[in-house]
Amino acid sequence: MLQHSLVRRAAPLLAGFLLLAAGAAHAADIRVVSSGGFAQAYKNLAPAYERASGDHLVSEWGPSMGTTRNAIPARLARGEPIDVVIMVGDALDKLMQEGRLVAGSKVVLANSPIACAVRRGAAQPDISTTEGLRSAFLQAHKVAYSDSASGEYIEKQLMQTLRIEEEMRGKAAKIPATPVGDIIARGEADFGCQQRSELMPVEGIAIVGLLPPAVQRMTQFSAALVPGGKQPEAGRALLRFLAAPANAGAIEATGLEAAAAPMPIAQ
């Protein structure tokens, strides 16, 4: 309910701006691909944008990295018709450096902490300390983590920091293209970690907490325009809307931390 209340309050504040910025008299179909970390915030804000602008958002989902068909880099490589991407900031920066996103169009939307979860009703380990987190990993029968930013960090850095690389071989698995929470809810893993914003919408799980501060890794989520997009002006208007301070509360209600100072969008 909080998300919907915040979105309703934000929409009137931005409606006049959007009508001028997007040219509501000429409604546009804006094609957007978002990674999972910002997906719930985007879904909550999309109806307010469409009402205020008159534009229609054509939305799809895919990870910021990896080799699955839906991954944003793979979509861009295939030349899919996309106007706006929303994804992990580091991966976005790389694509922009390669010329696959419009230079200077990046806008920072939010930062996301990593959380861990168990199946609803299961015993909840205390992961408030590094030793508690280490114990939770070791005591789990099967551990799941994503094939995107949080999973890359868990696999390549966190396991080494916790000194459990050998112990986790064979029982920790990177999950491609499927939310970690879904794997836990189905009983295919009894412990798993991913962006908090991706775990929160999943039914059948309990979030036991964030990674302890000493080993937490914040992930930036940003958006940018795609070269050759059919709706560049409407795309810019959408980026301004998503980054508007009036929408910070709706973003934070999904488990993210809204960006303090959004970056300017190239004209």
Side-chain angles (χ1 to χ4, degrees):
M1 295 299 294
L2 175 62
Q3 297 102 309
H4 299 306
S5 176
L6 289 165
V7 171
R8 284 197 299 270
R9 289 202 296 270
L13 296 174
L14 294 168
F17 160 75
L18 284 168
L19 292 175
L20 292 173
H26 304 285
D29 285 339
I30 309 172
R31 297 187 177 275
V32 181
V33 180
S34 174
S35 62
F38 197 79
Q40 191 60 50
Y42 171 83
K43 290 175 183 178
N44 291 345
L45 290 169
Y49 174 82
E50 290 184 320
R51 286 193 300 271
S53 68
D55 293 336
H56 176 234
L57 299 176
V58 181
S59 309
E60 295 191 29
W61 321 102
S64 299
M65 55 194 73
T67 58
T68 60
R69 179 173 178 79
N70 287 339
I72 292 174
R75 290 174 180 271
L76 295 176
R78 289 196 300 271
E80 287 191 16
I82 301 170
D83 297 297
V84 171
V85 295
I86 305 171
M87 58 191 297
V88 170
D90 291 345
L92 185 150
D93 291 340
K94 182 175 183 293
L95 292 173
M96 190 167 285
Q97 290 168 2
E98 295 172 353
R100 296 162 73 184
L101 298 174
V102 175
S105 68
K106 175 183 176 180
V107 58
V108 178
L109 300 175
N111 294 300
S112 178
I114 299 171
C116 300
V118 297
R119 197 174 188 183
R120 182 178 295 165
Q124 298 189 22
D126 180 359
I127 64 168
S128 60
T129 65
T130 302
E131 281 306 310
L133 178 66
R134 185 175 189 274
S135 176
F137 272 107
L138 292 175
Q139 292 180 16
H141 296 292
K142 188 74 173 180
V143 173
Y145 51 91
S146 81
D147 66 343
S148 197
S150 61
E152 288 290 304
Y153 166 66
I154 291 167
E155 181 180 64
K156 296 179 179 178
Q157 297 184 49
L158 182 60
M159 298 292 187
Q160 290 84 339
T161 299
L162 297 177
R163 307 182 309 281
I164 58 173
E165 308 101 298
E166 292 301 322
E167 293 90 335
M168 300 309 294
R169 292 188 193 281
K171 74 171 187 175
K174 181 183 289 186
I175 308 300
T178 302
V180 168
D182 288 354
I183 299 298
I184 298 170
R186 295 201 296 259
E188 297 173 22
D190 52 329
F191 184 73
C193 305
Q194 195 170 20
Q195 309 292 342
R196 178 173 61 181
S197 59
E198 295 190 67
L199 292 173
M200 283 180 62
V202 180
E203 297 288 339
I205 67 172
I207 298 176
V208 300
L210 298 175
L211 296 187
V215 294
Q216 179 61 261
R217 172 64 61 87
M218 298 293 286
T219 299
Q220 179 193 97
F221 283 93
S222 302
L225 302 175
V226 178
K230 294 182 178 180
Q231 303 294 342
E233 294 306 318
R236 288 188 181 93
L238 174 61
L239 296 189
R240 286 191 287 268
F241 173 80
L242 294 174
N247 287 325
I251 289 172
E252 290 174 351
T254 68
L256 296 165
E257 297 180 7
M263 296 177 65
I265 305 165
Q267 296 300 316

